[in-house]
Amino acid sequence: MDHERSRELYDRALSVMPGGVNSSVRATMPHPFFIERGDGGHVIDADGNRYIDWVMGYGPLLYGHEMPDPVSAAVQSHAAAGPMYGAPTEIEVEHAEFVARHVPSVESIRFVNSGTEATVSAVRLARGYTDRDKVVIMQGGYHGAQESTLVEGTPESHHPSTKGIPESFAEHTLPIPFNDPEAAKAVFAEHGDDIAAVLVEPILANTGIVMPIDGYHGTLRELCDDHGSLLIFDEVITGFRVGGLGCAQSKFGVTPDVTTFGKIIGGGFPVGAIGGRAEIVEEFTPAGDVFQSGTFSGHPVTMAAGKAYLEYAAENDVYEHVNRLGRQLREGITEICADRAPEYTVVGTDSMFKTVFTREAPDDDADCCMSGCRQDPSCSRYESCPKTGADVAAAETDRWERVFWQGMKDEGVFLTANQFECQFTSYAHTEADVERTLEAYRAVL
Ligand SMILES: *Cc1c(COP(=O)(O)O)cnc(C)c1O
C-alpha cells in the first residue's frame, strides 16, 4: 500500500495546523491517511487505497458515505435556498417535532452545533434550573472538550484532565466510577444538596464501550429524584443509534430529565441538541434565564439532513440492518478471540462494536456473552470484563494503536485509532464487508 501523497499532505498540514489535524484523535501514527472520498461503507484515500470504514466519522454516519435520496434532495434544496438566515425556519420546527415524538424524555429541544456545545449548555441549564453548582460525572466518560467535564480523580480529590482549565472550575465536578452504585450513593450522601446534575453516557462509548450493569441507571434516577438533582443522559453517540429512534433511554427503560444529542441527529453535518422536560428546557433564554445562543444553531441544511436521516430510518429497515451487521461482527470476533486471544473482550451492542485488549481470561469461556459483553453476572467472563473507564485504560492500549490498528489498515480495514473510541456499522455496509473484516481480524489478531 502506497501512502506517498498522504505523507506529503501531512507534512504540509504540520506547518499550518497543530499536530497537522483539526481533531486530536485523527493524528494516527506514523501519519494519518488523508481521505479523498467515501463510497458506501468504504473510504478511498489520497493515494487511491480503499478501506472498509468502520469509523463512520466517529459516529454520525448512519448511512455510511451514501446519502439516501431524500436526504440528498433535502440537503441540496436547503443549501441552494440560503443557506442560513439568522431567523427561524420551518425545518427546525419539523425536526424538533420529530425528535419530541420519538424520544420519551423530550418535550422541548434546543439545537446547537456540536456535542460539546450541547453538554456545555446542558450543564449550565442544570445549574441554572437547580441553583446548584456541583455536577457528578463518570470516570472515563466523555462529554466533549468542555471545562466542566474534563476533570479526573475522585469526589475527594479531583483536578482538570488537561492544561488550560483552572483548578477552581474542577472544584465543582465530582467524578465517580461507572457501574458502582455504592459510589453514586456515597457522593449523594456527602454532596446531595449541592448536586445540580448527574451527567452520564448511558453506555460509556468513548472509553472502550462499557455497558451498564443491570439496574445502574435506575439507581442514578432514584438518587437524583431523592435529592432534587437532574439526570442528564449524554446520548450524543448513542442517540438514534442504540435503541433505534427511542435512543438508549428507551432500551434501558430509564427516563432522564435532560438528554444531549449530536452526531446522527444532524445527518452528517455539525450539530448538537439539548432536549428534555419543557419545564426545564424552557429555562433557556429567551423563555427563561439561562443564557444560550448561537449564530449557526438550527442551521437549515443540518436540520434538513437530520430530519431526513431520521425519517428514512423510521420508514426503512435501517436499524434492523445495522444491528444485524453489528451482531455478526461481534459474534465473529468473539469466535476469533476464543481461538487466538481469549483474554480479549468483545464489547458493543446494536450497531456499535469494539475489542478491548484486556489482560485476563476465564479458564472456561463456554457460556460467555457471544455478541458483545452484556455485563451478565452468569457469564464466565463477568469478573474479567471491563466495568469502568479505568478497566479499559488498564488494557493493552498500545497494542491497539501501534500493532493492531496498523495491521488492520494494511489489510484495508479502517478502525478507530485507539483503544477507547468505538466503531459503527452503517446501512451502506454489506455482509461481504463483514466477512472481509473478520478475515482481517483473523490475520492480524
Ligand atoms: C462525540 C461526543 C461528544 C462531543 O461531541 P462533539 O460534536 O465532538 O463536540 C460528547 N459526548 C459524547 C457522549 C460523545 O460521544
Side-chain angles (χ1 to χ4, degrees):
M1 228 179 234
D2 184 23
H3 295 293
E4 204 44 49
R5 178 123 177 82
S6 279
R7 193 157 40 232
E8 277 168 28
L9 286 169
Y10 193 55
D11 195 30
R12 273 171 61 196
L14 283 170
S15 303
V16 286
M17 291 152 64
V21 290
N22 280 308
S23 186
S24 27
V25 76
R26 297 177 199 163
T28 52
M29 287 183 288
H31 62 79
F33 53 85
F34 281 63
I35 309 284
E36 185 85 26
R37 64 190 171 87
D39 178 22
H42 299 188
V43 285
I44 291 109
D45 76 9
D47 292 282
N49 304 306
R50 178 179 280 268
Y51 308 86
I52 304 175
D53 176 14
W54 304 109
V55 176
M56 291 286 112
Y58 284 92
L61 303 179
L62 185 58
Y63 301 98
H65 304 285
E66 208 125 48
M67 280 197 236
D69 289 342
V71 179
S72 179
V75 167
Q76 279 166 27
S77 90
H78 283 270
M84 54 83 75
Y85 316 100
T89 55
E90 183 172 359
I91 191 72
E92 298 164 65
V93 185
E94 288 181 359
H95 198 9
E97 285 169 348
F98 186 96
V99 176
R101 201 156 57 238
H102 287 90
V103 184
S105 67
V106 175
E107 292 172 355
S108 181
I109 187 165
R110 166 74 44 96
F111 287 104
V112 294
N113 305 292
S114 71
T116 297
E117 199 182 337
T119 66
V120 167
S121 301
V123 167
R124 189 182 310 133
L125 178 69
R127 287 174 167 156
Y129 178 80
T130 59
D131 264 322
R132 299 172 177 183
D133 288 340
K134 293 202 185 302
V135 177
V136 175
I137 61 168
M138 301 298 144
Q139 296 159 1
Y142 181 66
H143 307 289
Q146 73 131 314
E147 267 63 9
S148 291
T149 59
L150 287 173
V151 173
E152 59 191 19
T154 63
E156 293 75 39
S157 165
H158 38 102
H159 49 88
S161 61
T162 168
K163 286 192 75 163
I165 297 180
E167 288 285 342
S168 54
F169 286 26
E171 208 177 286
H172 301 298
T173 304
L174 306 169
I176 60 171
F178 188 62
N179 272 338
D180 185 342
E182 294 313 313
K185 287 175 194 162
V187 81
F188 270 94
E190 180 70 24
H191 302 282
D193 292 344
D194 300 321
I195 295 174
V198 174
L199 176 56
V200 59
E201 295 172 78
I203 297 169
L204 291 193
N206 293 274
T207 301
I209 305 181
V210 181
M211 293 290 281
I213 57 169
D214 196 28
Y216 183 65
H217 293 310
T219 302
L220 295 179
R221 179 68 276 176
E222 275 172 31
L223 286 167
C224 286
D225 287 343
D226 290 351
H227 293 84
S229 312
L230 300 185
L231 180 61
I232 307 175
F233 271 8
D234 182 355
E235 294 229 42
V236 169
I237 211 165
T238 52
F240 305 104
R241 180 169 292 284
V242 174
L245 294 172
C247 305
Q249 52 199 265
S250 69
K251 186 182 180 88
F252 297 127
V254 172
T255 305
D257 301 296
V258 172
T259 305
T260 52
F261 300 97
K263 298 189 172 130
I264 286 178
I265 204 175
F269 292 84
V271 78
I274 310 96
R277 284 213 309 282
E279 170 219 352
I280 300 169
V281 177
E282 286 177 0
E283 273 298 306
F284 277 142
T285 51
D289 297 325
V290 175
F291 185 75
Q292 208 292 319
S293 201
T295 300
F296 289 108
S297 293
H299 194 287
V301 177
T302 302
M303 295 296 99
K307 181 186 158 251
Y309 236 56
L310 299 186
E311 253 172 18
Y312 193 87
E315 289 160 11
N316 294 277
D317 63 342
V318 175
Y319 291 112
E320 211 180 289
H321 180 93
V322 297
N323 293 352
R324 184 177 67 249
L325 296 191
R327 194 179 61 246
Q328 287 171 354
L329 278 164
R330 290 187 302 272
E331 286 175 358
I333 299 167
T334 301
E335 258 175 52
I336 294 166
C337 285
D339 203 29
R340 279 156 213 254
E343 66 279 17
Y344 298 165
T345 308
V346 178
V347 291
T349 182
D350 297 45
S351 57
M352 310 198 316
F353 73 102
K354 189 81 175 182
T355 313
V356 180
F357 291 171
T358 36
R359 297 165 192 263
E360 282 174 37
D363 298 333
D364 168 19
D365 60 1
D367 2 274
C368 284
C369 303
M370 279 306 293
S371 175
C373 171
R374 283 179 285 118
Q375 307 290 12
D376 175 358
S378 70
C379 171
S380 53
R381 299 193 72 101
Y382 187 69
E383 294 305 324
S384 50
C385 66
K387 306 254 170 336
T388 65
D391 291 347
V392 178
E396 294 177 330
T397 54
D398 279 345
R399 175 178 299 270
W400 182 281
E401 271 185 76
R402 293 171 195 271
V403 182
F404 179 67
W405 187 85
Q406 308 285 346
M408 293 297 279
K409 181 182 80 172
D410 293 342
E411 295 283 329
V413 178
F414 182 27
L415 300 180
T416 49
N418 61 48
Q419 175 70 93
F420 302 104
E421 312 275 348
C422 70
Q423 297 156 169
F424 311 92
T425 59
S426 80
Y427 200 54
H429 285 112
T430 63
E431 299 201 354
D433 292 329
V434 169
E435 278 313 310
R436 266 207 45 220
T437 300
L438 291 176
E439 273 168 36
Y441 269 85
R442 226 171 267 123
V444 177
L445 269 185

